[in-house]
Amino acid sequence: MWGALVGGELARTSLIALGLGILGILIFVTFRFDLAFAIGAIVALLHDVVMTRGRIRLLGHELTLTMVGAILTIAGYSINDTIVVYDRIREGLASGRKGLDRANHEREYQSDS
């Protein structure tokens, strides 16, 4: 069993690591795409993690290390999918044949296959 002091320290360092991870993702996506895309990626990532954590809490499950691992896995898949979709949108915009709405629509359906 961990004491309250160790639990508090673990929570604090976890929040710092989470903040640094989100900052790293923001910087990476900003350099690779655009700041608007980076903000969208962070919002999508936070949405997926908060919804997953909410479902765990709603069902009354205890947050264990296994659950934390599952949430981190969901976060990894979420940011990977976001990067793939953004890359396809960028390819569609680079072709210059279509506007953003049409490129976004086509690239989103391509990512499902």
Side-chain angles (χ1 to χ4, degrees), residues 4-5 15 18 21 34 36 40 43 81 83-84 86 88-89 93 95 99:
L5 183 62
L15 287 175
L18 177 66
D34 191 31
V43 169
D81 186 49
I83 296 295
V84 168
Y86 284 174
R88 291 185 178 172
I89 290 172
L93 290 174
S95 69

Side-chain angles (χ1 to χ4, degrees), residues 25-41 79-93:
I25 292 169
L26 184 69
I27 291 169
F28 170 75
V29 176
T30 299
F31 281 127
R32 180 149 178 174
F33 301 102
D34 191 31
L35 181 61
F37 284 112
I39 293 171
I79 197 66
N80 181 56
D81 186 49
T82 302
I83 296 295
V84 168
V85 170
Y86 284 174
D87 208 25
R88 291 185 178 172
I89 290 172
R90 184 176 62 179
E91 288 172 5
L93 290 174

Side-chain angles (χ1 to χ4, degrees), residues 7-75:
E9 181 70 19
L10 183 63
R12 187 180 71 77
T13 56
S14 297
L15 287 175
I16 291 171
L18 177 66
L20 290 174
I22 289 175
L23 182 65
I25 292 169
L26 184 69
I27 291 169
F28 170 75
V29 176
T30 299
F31 281 127
R32 180 149 178 174
F33 301 102
D34 191 31
L35 181 61
F37 284 112
I39 293 171
I42 297 301
V43 169
L45 175 64
L46 289 176
H47 171 266
D48 291 344
V49 169
V50 167
M51 293 302 289
T52 302
R53 177 61 181 119
R55 287 184 187 128
I56 291 170
R57 180 76 175 192
L58 187 65
L59 294 173
H61 293 290
E62 184 179 322
L63 189 63
T64 63
L65 286 177
T66 304
M67 294 282 194
V68 171
I71 291 172
L72 290 174
T73 301
I74 290 169

